[in-house]
Amino acid sequence: MKNFIYAVFLGFAALFAGCQNSLISEEEKVEFILPESNKSELSMLSRWKICVCSADYEKEYYLGADEKSVLVEVNRNEPICVTAAPLTYLKDGSEVSFFKPAGAVYPYGSEGDFYSGKLKCPLTWESGFTAYVMQKIIKSKKETGIGTEELKSFLIQFNWKKMQDKINQNIADSILDFKNHDAEVNPKFYNPWQIDLFTLLDNLSFAIFEAKYLNTTYIFSVEKEIAQIPSEAECLSSFIPENQIIKNYKVLALKKKIPQSFLIDNTYAVMLSASSAKKVSAEFTYMPILIDDYEYSD
């Protein structure tokens, strides 16, 4: 992991060294809007775990369930990623971290303008993976010793918008496949968290990005019944956009031989592992109780 992340910055350092003095450093405040929490998945919302990362700044903290947004001071036009992971209660009152985070990458998802002082950026479930990838790259600098300016140059030059647009399109196309499917086609929901992260980062190390790197492979659409989940039971994926598919079509998207957890009736989890669409092993387990803690944001 260290070697290919290190290669990312060596490749970009020489190419973009001349750009460092042109980086705009004017500060502005951006309001990152949290996702609506009135969906069934978040009916037991406890609080949000917030992670904010840029080339020269990292912070993690919690926000209460009633909060609607996160205000972050940024350097104008310098990329920064924010993730918001919902922590929820089980029926027994235990607090768990189950759902994947919503996310945003500034400035690409921002709305409004700097001069009005009303710059906003929505945090979406679909953008959570992209923001997480940026976090992985940023956090790697502690392991490699890469300088802040080299890291900043890479983050500015990489086309995060193109990456997110492709993820959005893949999700939309997979949902459309379900709506239009017939007996001869077995649609598969696209979950970006099933991308091979190691391979994706390895490809980024060569300073090349192609849409094919965001493909998911060896994905099976598995019926709830085959997964040993009662048809009447509420079954939730950790990737919230998938849950409407599960509800409407009663199928789960599983990656071959990669165990994956689903929340059942907001009470316990089932760990599923599939070798085919018809051969699935299931292990029922209690959800782990969250034990780490951060202070609440002001």
Side-chain angles (χ1 to χ4, degrees), residues 106-125:
Y106 165 88
Y108 309 105
S110 58
E111 304 169 348
D113 61 84
F114 167 72
Y115 299 101
S116 69
K118 297 180 180 180
L119 198 61
K120 297 183 178 182
C121 191
L123 293 159
T124 70
W125 306 115

Side-chain angles (χ1 to χ4, degrees), residues 218-235:
Y218 302 106
I219 304 298
F220 304 123
S221 280
V222 176
E223 297 177 3
K224 285 177 63 177
E225 183 179 358
I226 293 176
Q228 305 177 46
I229 300 173
S231 59
E232 69 278 6
E234 181 184 50
C235 175

Side-chain angles (χ1 to χ4, degrees), residues 2 11 53 91-92 100 117 157 177 196 211-212 232:
K2 291 182 181 180
C53 285
K91 285 184 178 179
D92 67 1
K100 298 297 185 183
Q157 294 298 326
D177 286 343
D196 186 331
K212 66 181 181 180
E232 69 278 6

Side-chain angles (χ1 to χ4, degrees), residues 36 38-44 86 88 98-102 125-126 171 174-175 178-179 188-194 222 224 229 231-254 260-266 268 270 272:
E36 292 291 334
N38 56 357
K39 298 180 180 180
S40 61
E41 296 97 328
L42 300 182
S43 61
M44 298 290 285
T88 59
F98 172 73
F99 295 108
K100 298 297 185 183
W125 306 115
E126 292 82 359
I171 294 173
S174 71
I175 293 174
F178 274 94
K179 293 180 178 179
K188 301 173 183 178
F189 181 75
Y190 178 85
N191 180 347
W193 295 94
Q194 292 175 328
V222 176
K224 285 177 63 177
I229 300 173
S231 59
E232 69 278 6
E234 181 184 50
C235 175
L236 297 179
S237 165
S238 59
F239 182 49
I240 284 180
E242 182 180 5
N243 290 323
Q244 195 62 44
I245 295 295
I246 296 175
K247 180 179 180 180
N248 292 343
Y249 302 98
K250 302 188 186 307
V251 295
L252 318 174
L254 298 180
Q260 193 169 323
S261 292
F262 292 85
L263 183 59
I264 309 300
D265 288 334
N266 203 36
Y268 60 92
V270 58
L272 302 177

Side-chain angles (χ1 to χ4, degrees), residues 4 24 29 31 48 58 93 98 102 123 141 153 161 165 168 174-175 178 186 199 216-218 223 237 260 290:
F4 69 73
I24 301 174
K29 292 183 178 180
E31 185 180 12
W48 297 93
E58 293 181 48
F98 172 73
L123 293 159
K141 74 173 184 176
S153 293
K161 182 180 185 301
D165 286 348
N168 291 344
S174 71
I175 293 174
F178 274 94
N186 186 22
T199 300
T216 55
T217 57
Y218 302 106
E223 297 177 3
S237 165
Q260 193 169 323
L290 188 72

Side-chain angles (χ1 to χ4, degrees), residues 271-289:
M271 184 75 72
L272 302 177
S273 182
S275 55
S276 73
K278 300 295 183 181
K279 190 174 182 180
V280 181
S281 62
E283 179 181 350
F284 292 84
T285 180
Y286 290 103
M287 290 292 296
I289 298 175

Side-chain angles (χ1 to χ4, degrees), residues 37-261:
S37 60
N38 56 357
K39 298 180 180 180
S40 61
E41 296 97 328
L42 300 182
S43 61
M44 298 290 285
L45 181 64
S46 168
R47 49 182 172 162
W48 297 93
K49 182 177 181 180
I50 307 298
C51 181
V52 182
C53 285
S54 67
D56 48 17
Y57 175 83
E58 293 181 48
K59 185 177 181 180
E60 290 185 337
Y61 54 93
Y62 284 143
L63 283 179
D66 294 333
E67 298 292 339
K68 303 299 182 183
S69 64
V70 181
L71 191 63
V72 180
E73 191 169 273
V74 303
N75 290 331
R76 189 182 182 196
N77 291 332
E78 289 185 13
I80 185 170
C81 56
V82 178
T83 58
L87 307 182
T88 59
Y89 293 117
L90 299 181
K91 285 184 178 179
D92 67 1
S94 301
E95 185 184 51
V96 296
S97 177
F98 172 73
F99 295 108
K100 298 297 185 183
V105 173
Y106 165 88
Y108 309 105
S110 58
E111 304 169 348
D113 61 84
F114 167 72
Y115 299 101
S116 69
K118 297 180 180 180
L119 198 61
K120 297 183 178 182
C121 191
L123 293 159
T124 70
W125 306 115
E126 292 82 359
S127 300
F129 179 77
T130 301
Y132 177 75
V133 169
M134 184 186 284
Q135 285 178 7
K136 293 287 287 185
I137 292 174
I138 291 172
K139 290 178 182 296
S140 72
K141 74 173 184 176
K142 294 181 178 179
E143 301 177 1
T144 61
I146 295 299
T148 297
E149 293 305 316
E150 288 84 357
L151 173 61
K152 192 176 296 184
S153 293
F154 170 76
L155 295 179
I156 288 175
Q157 294 298 326
F158 183 75
N159 196 335
W160 298 101
K161 182 180 185 301
K162 180 180 178 181
M163 178 176 175
Q164 187 57 52
D165 286 348
K166 181 58 179 176
I167 288 176
N168 291 344
Q169 188 62 55
N170 286 348
I171 294 173
D173 288 347
S174 71
I175 293 174
L176 189 62
D177 286 343
F178 274 94
K179 293 180 178 179
N180 297 334
H181 84 286
D182 55 42
E184 297 180 358
V185 178
N186 186 22
K188 301 173 183 178
F189 181 75
Y190 178 85
N191 180 347
W193 295 94
Q194 292 175 328
I195 293 171
D196 186 331
L197 181 61
F198 182 89
T199 300
L200 175 62
L201 292 174
D202 193 26
N203 287 321
L204 291 182
S205 71
F206 296 99
I208 299 173
F209 174 75
E210 296 182 23
K212 66 181 181 180
Y213 298 153
L214 299 178
N215 291 342
T216 55
T217 57
Y218 302 106
I219 304 298
F220 304 123
S221 280
V222 176
E223 297 177 3
K224 285 177 63 177
E225 183 179 358
I226 293 176
Q228 305 177 46
I229 300 173
S231 59
E232 69 278 6
E234 181 184 50
C235 175
L236 297 179
S237 165
S238 59
F239 182 49
I240 284 180
E242 182 180 5
N243 290 323
Q244 195 62 44
I245 295 295
I246 296 175
K247 180 179 180 180
N248 292 343
Y249 302 98
K250 302 188 186 307
V251 295
L252 318 174
L254 298 180
K255 190 174 179 69
K256 186 177 182 180
K257 296 183 179 179
I258 302 296
Q260 193 169 323
S261 292

